[in-house]
Amino acid sequence: MSIESDLKKDGITVIGKLDTLSVNTISRDIAEMLYKAFPNQNFIFQNLFIALSRIPMYIADIPDGFAEATYFYKNSSMYFKQGLSLEELEKFAVHEFIHYLQEIKDKKGHLLRLGLCDFGDLKVTGMALNEGAVQCMAAKALNSEEEIVKYYGISLPTTSPSYYPILCNLVEQLAYIAGKETLYESTFYGSATFKETLANLCGLNNFLKIENNMDKIMNVEEKAIKLNNKLLSDDCEGMKAQKIAKKIEDCKKRIKDVYFETQKLIFTSYFNTQFSKILTTADIDEYRLRLYNYKNYIGISENYSDFDEFYINKMMDLDNKYEKIINNTNLTVVNNSKIARFFRKIKAILSANVELSK
């Protein structure tokens, strides 16, 4: 199958080459963005600019609902949606340029790895994890500010409100656990460090489940976009339109369910694992702060209480752990402390509120 046929399969029709001045301007500006945003990755500005400026770039007809820029690894070329200004081209190109920098191919040009995504003989794994990571990094390069957005009934913080907001939010939660520099290094260079760190901190099976769930979310989102395009077509009306609308609602519910399942698995697996490693009162203080700050990353919805309940239970567990540690040093403690009683009251109130809202 030819490159042109492969592109048409994705709905992309090439119109013509991007002019040289625009190519050089985009390459220079994005090279500077990446150089400044990721100082620990040892980029050399001139090398970045040369590498990016050598990418063949084209203007193309790209379907609505899909990315305005696409890096096509089969011919190492970039395609931009027609009608975009130079500023818009740069904004959408950052994500795709990172894809270019992160690809690893064999001698025959077959793609082996794309950052956090592995292209095995039988299965591709980590596609959604990689897309979310790349978009988080693109947002960082563009100095995008964090916003609270609402999708599929989920309110969540993200620096990428328009592109992969759900996946970006989950990646930010994972980066909080494993470290952002670890995420950047593995995403740019395809190392296993980020995944191995998460497997150690959350458990291998839990991490694989998280990774798989993110792929599910991305696949269902793509399905919803295609269904929405059908719904907006001229020949879609009556019963056909109702059926498609119902399928779209089912997709939205599925995304919401998998998101909350994944989020819960992330924080429970990590904090439960770390709790078992607490040995000192200093460990307790660090754990309490890490758990408290995690609330800044989570998505919520109406009647959502999973994280609050987990937080209160862990605060009570920490209080008990503290007493045991102090007892081991032969210091006097007060059983059934005020802190423990306080959190038990809060837990009872939360449980009552959840019951009343059902």
Side-chain angles (χ1 to χ4, degrees), residues 136 139-140 143-149 156-161 168-169 172-173 180 293 295-298:
C136 283
K140 176 177 172 59
N143 290 316
S144 301
E145 295 185 0
E146 184 177 272
E147 298 180 33
I148 303 296
V149 297
L156 51 82
T158 179
T159 54
S160 180
C168 286
N169 172 264
E172 289 287 357
Q173 294 187 41
K180 287 192 174 182
N293 287 336
K295 67 180 175 58
N296 297 320
Y297 295 85
I298 65 169

Side-chain angles (χ1 to χ4, degrees), residues 1-14 61 72 74-75 79:
M1 185 178 291
S2 67
I3 295 297
E4 185 177 350
S5 298
D6 284 338
L7 289 170
K8 284 186 176 180
K9 186 178 178 182
D10 291 336
I12 299 173
T13 303
V14 178
D61 182 19
F72 202 64
K74 289 186 178 180
N75 64 347
Y79 298 89

Side-chain angles (χ1 to χ4, degrees), residues 215-244:
D215 284 333
K216 287 180 182 178
I217 290 172
M218 186 173 73
N219 291 335
V220 177
E221 279 198 296
E222 289 178 353
K223 180 180 177 181
I225 290 171
K226 291 177 180 178
L227 286 169
N228 192 61
N229 286 341
K230 284 185 179 180
L231 188 63
L232 296 175
S233 64
D234 294 335
D235 64 340
C236 185
E237 54 186 20
M239 288 298 296
K240 182 180 179 181
Q242 291 180 27
K243 288 181 180 179
I244 292 177

Side-chain angles (χ1 to χ4, degrees), residues 159-188:
T159 54
S160 180
S162 301
Y163 300 93
Y164 297 123
I166 302 289
L167 296 179
C168 286
N169 172 264
L170 292 173
V171 167
E172 289 287 357
Q173 294 187 41
L174 294 172
Y176 176 75
I177 290 171
K180 287 192 174 182
E181 290 300 330
T182 303
L183 171 68
Y184 301 154
E185 187 267 338
S186 289
T187 304
F188 273 124

Side-chain angles (χ1 to χ4, degrees), residues 174-175 177-178 193-204 207:
L174 294 172
I177 290 171
T193 307
F194 185 67
K195 290 187 177 184
E196 288 176 350
T197 301
L198 288 170
N200 288 331
L201 294 174
C202 301
L204 176 59
F207 168 70

Side-chain angles (χ1 to χ4, degrees), residues 9 100 104 111 187 222 248:
K9 186 178 178 182
Y100 167 76
I104 298 174
L111 192 61
T187 304
E222 289 178 353
I248 292 174

Side-chain angles (χ1 to χ4, degrees), residues 306-335:
D306 285 358
F307 182 76
D308 287 339
E309 291 178 359
F310 181 82
Y311 179 85
I312 290 168
N313 284 329
K314 276 291 171 278
M315 289 300 105
M316 293 171 63
D317 291 341
L318 286 174
D319 192 56
N320 292 331
K321 175 87 76 170
Y322 178 83
E323 293 180 4
K324 290 179 181 179
I325 291 173
I326 296 299
N327 277 331
N328 285 338
T329 61
N330 296 319
L331 296 177
T332 303
V333 298
V334 179
N335 291 323

